[in-house]
Amino acid sequence: LRPVAALWISAAVFGVIHLISSGGQQNALEHVLYLAVPFGFAVAGGALMIVLDSLWAAVGVHTGVHVGGLIGLGFGLGSGPAYWVTTGLVWTAIGLVLLAIAKRQGKLDGIWTGPTR
């Protein structure tokens, strides 16, 4: 697939896998709203992987989200639907900026062959 199509498909699949996550959701709607977080950081991680040609970038984003969430809870930032949607939108926006950078670098032209290192 082209890199952008592969990114959106993998982010959607990664997000849906998190339907079974237990992140404090109380009902079916909250389970769906919670998906904004894994979808958003999957977009950002995947775009960062394309920009840096490294799977470790995506691993770092994934780890950072979990560690950052724990730190945020420790500082009383809380959790819940508004937090999940806001966080997901921010991560998605970061991913879109990274995709724009990848486009400018020519990394979205043709078929992406994966990390070169």
Side-chain angles (χ1 to χ4, degrees):
L1 294 173
R2 301 241 180 242
V4 175
L7 174 73
W8 292 114
I9 291 167
S10 62
V13 170
F14 184 77
V16 169
I17 289 169
H18 285 79
L19 272 172
I20 59 172
S21 293
S22 56
Q25 306 93 321
Q26 300 296 315
N27 56 49
L29 176 61
E30 287 188 5
H31 274 276
V32 172
L33 293 175
Y34 180 79
L35 299 183
V37 176
F39 174 80
F41 79 74
V43 171
L48 191 60
M49 181 181 73
I50 293 170
V51 169
L52 298 178
D53 285 329
S54 172
L55 180 61
W56 287 107
V59 172
V61 169
H62 192 169
T63 303
V65 166
H66 288 289
V67 171
L70 290 173
I71 292 170
L73 283 173
F75 281 101
L77 291 179
S79 189
Y83 175 81
W84 301 326
V85 172
T86 302
T87 303
L89 289 173
V90 169
W91 277 112
T92 301
I94 291 168
L96 292 173
V97 169
L98 290 166
L99 283 174
I101 292 168
K103 174 98 173 135
R104 194 165 24 145
Q105 293 175 342
K107 294 191 175 191
L108 301 182
D109 300 335
I111 305 241
W112 188 65
T113 59
T116 55
R117 295 179 210 136

